[in-house]
Structures are given as C-alpha cells and as structure tokens.
Amino acid sequence: MLTLTQSNDYLVDPQRPYVYTVLPLSLHDSPIQRFAITTSLSTLYVVKASGGAYSLSAPPHTNIHNSVTSLADFGARGASSSRFLTAGRDGRVRWWYFYHDDAEVNESRIFRTPAGQPISALAASAASGLIVAGTEHQDEGLGNVSVFVWDISSTQDTPIRNYSQSHSDTITCLAFIPPIQRNGEITERFLSASTDGLVQVFDVNEADEDEAVSVTVNTGGPVNHVLPVVVFGQGVGVWSMSQDERLGFDWLEDEATGGIEGIDVREALSVDYTIGLRPVGTRDEHGGVVVLAGRNKTEEGAPCIVAAKFGRGQEAVQSELMLRLEGGHGEEVIRDLWVNDAVWEGEFEGLAAVSVGEDGMVKLWSTHDETGVRQGEDVNMGDIEERNDDEGVASREKKHKKDKVAKGDRFAPY
C-alpha cells in the first residue's frame, strides 16, 4: 500500500463553497497537469499543478449554470483532453475547450433539454461524438425521467434520442460501455443508473426505447456509482455502488454467469462513505474495480482517504488496499478524487492525487515513499462469496429485454 502526504492545498473561494468535482485535462505534448474544477457556487476553475505548486490556469467562469451538477471529459476513451462538458439544473450542457498553455477557457456550444428538464448526470464519447444526460426527478413519489442523447455532428442543440420510460427516479450516473463488434458492426452502448435501483443498457442505434434497452439490472437499492468493465475472454460487466455503500457486480452478457452482491464497503474498509469507482488500469484484464472511500468521523479513527482494489476470485471476492491519504479533509466530506493512473500500474513520478471537498479546499498529494508502491495489504472481507446465478442465490436480477418493475416508495437520500 502506498501512503501519500499532502504537499499543497488551495482555498478556491473565501466563501468556502463545496468543491464538487475535479477532472484532469491535457494538451498534446504539454508537461503541465491541468484540472477542471466545479463548485456549489456554479463556478468553473481551470487550474494547473506543477512541482507541487498550484495556480489558476485561466480566469474562472462564474454562474456557468443555475446549479451545476455534472462535469465530464470529452477526450478519447480513458484519456484526458482539452475539451470537457458541464451540465446543471438549468437543463443545459455546455461544451468547453482551450488550445494552448495559459489560454482562457472558451465555450464552444450549448445543448439543451427540450423543456429545460434539470440534468443530474452526464457522460460523453469522443469516439462516437455522442453526449448523454440524465434528468432529475424533483417531485414527490415516482415519475418518469429522461435520458437524452445529442450528436455533436448535428447543427441542432436538441437531442436525437429521448428515452423517457426506463427509469422512475433521478438518474445518478451514466457511462459509455467499451464498444463491441457484432455481425461486422460496431455497437455503441451506454448505461444509466438511478435511485430507482435499476441499471439500464441502451443501444443508441435504436430510436425505439423498447428496442434500445437491451439489459436491465435490478440492483435492489438506489445506485450512486457505476463502472462498466471488460473481462478478457468473458465479456462486459458492471460494478455498482449503492447509496448505502454496498458494492455489486453484474454481467451484461447472456453467456456469462456469476455476480457479486452485498459487499459492505464501510465495514470492509472502516470508512464512512464512498467517493467513486475507478478502473484498475490498462494492465487489468480481469474486470477489477478501485473503490475510493473516505473517513471523516474521528471516533472511527483518524480522517483519511483510501483506495482499494476489488476483484472476482474463484471462490471469494479478492481485495487489496492500494492507497491511503492521511488526514483527508479532516471532518469534511471529500466530494471527488483524481489519482494518477500510474499509481495503479505500480510506477509513477510527480503529482499522485488531487482531492476536493466540502471544506472548499483543493488538496495535492505526493508520496514520501521513494521506492514507489509497496505490496498491497489484504482487507478482511469475511465470508463474502461470489454469487452463482445458476444456483439461485442471487437477489439481484439481470434481465435481457425489459420487464415491468414494481414501483415502490421513492428513496429519500440522506
């Protein structure tokens, strides 16, 4: 496990707004690391970090949305770029870019939901030129929400798809699935997750919603985070994290069997909440996931941020503590965390991580261990075993082609 220490921090605004998200940006052949950052004041910052120093790369943009909710990259799959997107409760998606070092961040285009529906989740694929956004359900009880798709090659700012029957509560996250080739054609798919407990897989080539939804996974509880992964020789699966911090895995392929459910991450890692899910790295072919989590309740131990790898073993869930950031943001909640991809690969130089939180701070982290990443430590996972769908021990459901799902009481997030 690699332990990081804080090398620098920065208060983004004297009002101490929540800092929501941090997104890595890059320019071709530029050695400077940049990040886009959004806050609860709906301000967009682009900052640069070099040699442990932190500074604004360009003047901030204020009031970019009526309540910003999302920040997404628009680079090649798995790579940062100089293009990115923001979205908010004003029903707009704004496309931003910069072209050279210390240049101002400019707006390229604006995309709009048809009736100004508030946006709660956002994802994009540079390879296909598609943007997807999910909407927020603001009324009491359950009701239909939409997943919209825009094609950037179109001159119109209106969506080319409106999938409005597949979820009954707020869309919490969206992600594009690595494309697959079937019958000589490339299928571009993405998945959506919601507080209604469902994960839906859409084929954007299909305009009819019943035809577009190819897989429905009922996770059994509101979903906070998802990560699709490719497992070598077996197909595509999805990791999901519920709002009560339970980690699960489901296959998205007909042929694959066996999943994982019910891993209590708070108990397993001695943390209070999860921050997100990240891919393990380019060398991982087994469909693992890195769980980012935080502890801020001092009675449970010193505040910290941890990253742990979870994978599917032959008989039980395997896990390994990979990273620890001592002190975290004190008693404040960490909203987002960027970790240098090279940390997962076992070698890295320079800036290791950037965290942002509800204390209004941006923190830079570096290692005090010059030898690099040490051998991981085992996490006691108890008797959590891999689920075999054929043995009927699963309570989570995977359905190819959508069935009607009973609507219960709407989940009230804490």
Side-chain angles (χ1 to χ4, degrees):
M1 180 179 69
L2 180 66
T3 299
L4 303 183
T5 56
Q6 181 183 323
S7 59
N8 206 342
D9 60 24
Y10 179 77
L11 179 64
V12 298
D13 189 290
Q15 300 179 68
R16 286 191 175 270
Y18 290 0
V19 186
Y20 284 153
T21 48
V22 54
L23 178 74
L25 306 173
S26 67
L27 284 171
H28 182 63
D29 293 333
S30 174
I32 300 174
Q33 180 68 67
R34 288 175 173 78
F35 301 91
I37 291 170
T38 60
T39 75
S40 57
L41 295 178
S42 292
T43 301
L44 170 67
Y45 297 87
V46 173
V47 301
K48 57 184 178 181
S50 178
Y54 174 101
S55 62
L56 286 175
S57 178
H61 287 259
T62 59
N63 299 315
I64 59 171
H65 293 280
N66 179 11
S67 185
V68 65
T69 58
S70 305
L71 175 65
D73 187 31
F74 199 71
R77 189 180 304 276
S80 56
S81 76
S82 59
R83 300 180 296 170
F84 60 97
L85 305 161
T86 60
R89 291 189 173 91
D90 53 6
R92 298 187 300 166
V93 177
R94 301 180 71 174
W95 186 5
W96 307 87
Y97 70 94
F98 64 96
Y99 285 138
H100 55 83
D101 287 345
D102 298 320
E104 289 191 8
V105 177
N106 298 296
E107 181 181 73
S108 175
R109 294 181 65 179
I110 296 179
F111 305 89
R112 293 177 172 83
T113 56
Q117 294 96 323
I119 296 173
S120 55
L122 183 67
S125 168
S128 59
L130 296 177
I131 300 168
V132 296
T135 62
E136 182 180 41
H137 181 54
Q138 296 183 314
D139 299 326
E140 295 293 330
L142 298 173
N144 289 332
V145 294
S146 291
V147 177
F148 295 107
V149 182
W150 291 269
D151 185 344
I152 65 168
S153 65
S154 170
T155 58
Q156 304 298 315
D157 65 358
T158 53
I160 61 170
R161 298 281 187 267
N162 177 3
Y163 301 129
S164 61
Q165 303 297 319
S166 297
H167 288 288
S168 59
D169 212 338
T170 296
I171 308 296
T172 54
C173 39
L174 296 156
F176 277 86
I177 298 171
I180 58 174
Q181 186 169 359
R182 289 177 173 171
N183 301 322
E185 296 183 357
I186 299 296
T187 300
E188 186 72 58
R189 300 183 297 169
F190 69 91
L191 57 81
S192 61
S194 166
T195 53
D196 63 10
L198 301 181
V199 176
Q200 306 278 20
V201 177
F202 294 89
D203 179 352
V204 295
N205 295 320
E206 301 289 347
D208 182 84
E209 189 161 355
D210 285 335
E211 295 299 321
V213 177
S214 58
V215 181
T216 296
V217 176
N218 188 347
T219 67
V223 181
N224 258 0
H225 311 288
V226 291
L227 179 73
V229 292
V230 176
V231 183
F232 181 74
Q234 297 186 63
V236 180
V238 58
W239 290 93
S240 61
M241 182 70 70
S242 69
Q243 287 189 351
D244 62 355
E245 322 300 355
R246 290 185 175 274
L247 179 67
F249 176 84
D250 292 274
W251 289 104
L252 302 181
E253 309 294 336
D254 285 310
E255 299 81 8
T257 60
I260 298 168
E261 64 172 322
I263 302 176
D264 188 338
V265 173
R266 284 180 292 195
E267 180 179 351
L269 301 179
S270 297
V271 295
D272 299 314
Y273 59 92
T274 55
I275 301 167
L277 305 177
R278 301 290 186 270
V280 173
T282 56
R283 298 177 188 173
D284 179 69
E285 296 180 341
H286 305 292
V289 63
V290 174
V291 175
L292 307 179
R295 181 170 68 216
N296 61 340
K297 297 178 181 178
T298 54
E299 61 268 21
E300 300 293 334
C304 66
I305 308 170
V306 298
K309 174 184 174 182
F310 289 80
R312 300 173 307 102
Q314 292 184 350
E315 297 180 355
V317 177
Q318 298 174 342
S319 57
E320 176 186 350
L321 272 175
M322 302 183 71
L323 189 65
R324 183 183 180 92
L325 284 63
E326 295 289 355
H329 284 234
E331 296 185 12
E332 299 292 341
V333 171
I334 293 94
R335 283 299 193 105
D336 200 8
L337 175 67
W338 168 83
V339 179
N340 191 323
D341 285 341
V343 170
W344 315 135
E345 304 290 350
E347 301 173 357
F348 80 97
E349 295 179 357
L351 184 65
V354 176
S355 61
V356 298
E358 294 183 0
D359 54 359
M361 302 297 294
V362 178
K363 294 193 174 187
L364 279 59
W365 302 83
S366 61
T367 178
H368 58 75
D369 179 4
E370 299 298 332
T371 62
V373 179
R374 297 189 294 272
Q375 181 66 33
E377 299 177 0
D378 292 333
V379 182
N380 181 11
M381 300 303 299
D383 296 324
I384 302 170
E385 295 185 352
E386 186 167 1
R387 185 186 80 228
N388 187 328
D389 287 328
D390 293 336
E391 295 177 359
V393 297
S395 60
R396 296 156 68 92
E397 298 177 31
K398 176 182 70 175
K399 298 183 180 180
H400 292 261
K401 287 301 172 185
K402 182 174 53 179
D403 291 337
K404 297 297 182 181
V405 178
K407 296 182 179 181
D409 294 333
R410 182 166 182 251
F411 177 81
Y414 55 83

